[in-house]
Amino acid sequence: MKSLFNRRSFLLSLVAAPFALLAAVAAAKTVTTTEADASKALVKEKDAMPAALKYQEVAEKAPTRTNKESKCSNCMHYSKAVAADGKAIPVKGSEVGACALFNAGKGYVKAGGWCMSWFQMPA
């Protein structure tokens, strides 16, 4: 009887694992920092990696952008930058977040930006 319970628990964990992973990813979509640190690490469009990925600080200015809804803030590589109190951090008048593609996830991009590596964040 014990082996049946173990088998059942194992099968239930297989079903629940993807949901737990999605919940963990959604919870991890913020990064705590300061405005000064985010400002120092804000990527520039002309830097090598952002230029290679056609990064634009304003998504509407990206000539190769075809999905009008796409922008950094709804990309799976983006994690919203928040202060210790949980409030969004503005840099130069725009909300920012860390991008996993730039500077090993320590490079910050504008929430309204876009690059060719944009990929829809899972719902």
Side-chain angles (χ1 to χ4, degrees), residues 48-102:
M49 182 67 136
L53 294 176
K54 299 180 182 2
Y55 170 71
Q56 293 287 309
E57 288 184 347
V58 178
E60 291 77 18
K61 292 182 179 179
T64 57
R65 178 178 169 239
T66 56
N67 179 345
K68 300 302 178 195
E69 300 298 316
S70 62
K71 56 186 174 181
C72 291
S73 64
N74 62 15
C75 177
M76 76 176 314
H77 304 295
Y78 180 85
S79 297
K80 184 177 180 177
V82 295
D85 62 3
K87 293 182 181 175
I89 294 179
V91 174
K92 299 179 182 176
S94 298
E95 285 189 15
V96 297
C99 179
L101 302 177
F102 300 126

Side-chain angles (χ1 to χ4, degrees), residues 19-34:
F19 295 107
L21 180 62
L22 285 174
V25 168
K29 294 311 281 183
T30 61
V31 60
T32 305
T33 190
T34 64

Side-chain angles (χ1 to χ4, degrees), residues 27-50:
K29 294 311 281 183
T30 61
V31 60
T32 305
T33 190
T34 64
E35 184 177 347
D37 287 344
S39 184
K40 279 191 272 183
L42 192 65
V43 300
K44 296 168 184 60
E45 294 174 352
K46 294 179 181 174
D47 289 346
M49 182 67 136

Side-chain angles (χ1 to χ4, degrees), residues 99-119:
C99 179
L101 302 177
F102 300 126
N103 196 17
K106 294 182 177 154
Y108 289 84
V109 294
K110 293 194 176 186
W114 179 88
C115 86
M116 64 187 266
S117 292
W118 178 86
F119 193 81

